[in-house]
Amino acid sequence: MNYYSEHINNLIEELERLPGIAAKTAQRLAFHIVNMPPEQVNALASAIRDAKEHTGHCRICGTLTDAEVCPICADPSRDHRQIMVVENSRDLAAYEKTQKYSGVYHVLQGAIAPLLGIGPDDIRLKELMQRLQGDVDEVIIATNSSLEGETTAMYISRLIKPTQIRVTRIASGVPVGGDLEYIDEVTLLRALEGRVEL
Ligand code: ZN
């Protein structure tokens, strides 16, 4: 139904596509945006466009970044012999917020989900194995505790075992099915400190 102009409807529709934005919120945001001063609207629009244009993936760990190598991989004070494997950049951000992890990361950009047709070749496992040919002491598997996360963790540990590199899994206690990014920092730290050998 066309209560509003086509332009406002378009904006509402685009906003509704975003995660966590329900129809009502999309409407509220759209009205808010059309009432904003023009320069603020332009700033928002160019921030979205610039972020999209300039963001790529770190050549080493695969996280979202606007440089060829992300600031974490480029930081010589981090322990590059300790690699934490996470599903996505949001999980990396969650661990970074604890400010207690000094190793580096490997972002899989997904998890193995046979039901969705996502297999080992669809996530960045080959890249992980390549990194393990360098000097690595420990791989900490910090995939989510969902079915997909656990399947991925098991697959990775089997893959790494023959290399003799230490493989650990963050402790459970992280709520099952919980996205890492929603878990508070204390719980994340406890999960990291209580990690177990696989
Ligand atoms: Zn990186």
Side-chain angles (χ1 to χ4, degrees), residues 58-63 65 68-74 92 105 131:
C58 169
R59 178 167 58 76
I60 299 170
C61 73
T63 196
T65 180
E68 198 197 336
V69 173
C70 77
I72 297 170
C73 289
L92 177 154
Y105 297 90
R131 285 180 79 181

Side-chain angles (χ1 to χ4, degrees), residues 75-91:
D75 185 349
S77 72
R78 311 268 316 205
D79 181 358
H80 290 257
R81 303 171 69 107
Q82 192 178 41
I83 300 178
M84 187 193 290
V85 179
V86 292
E87 290 182 22
N88 54 53
S89 295
R90 296 191 311 269
D91 293 341

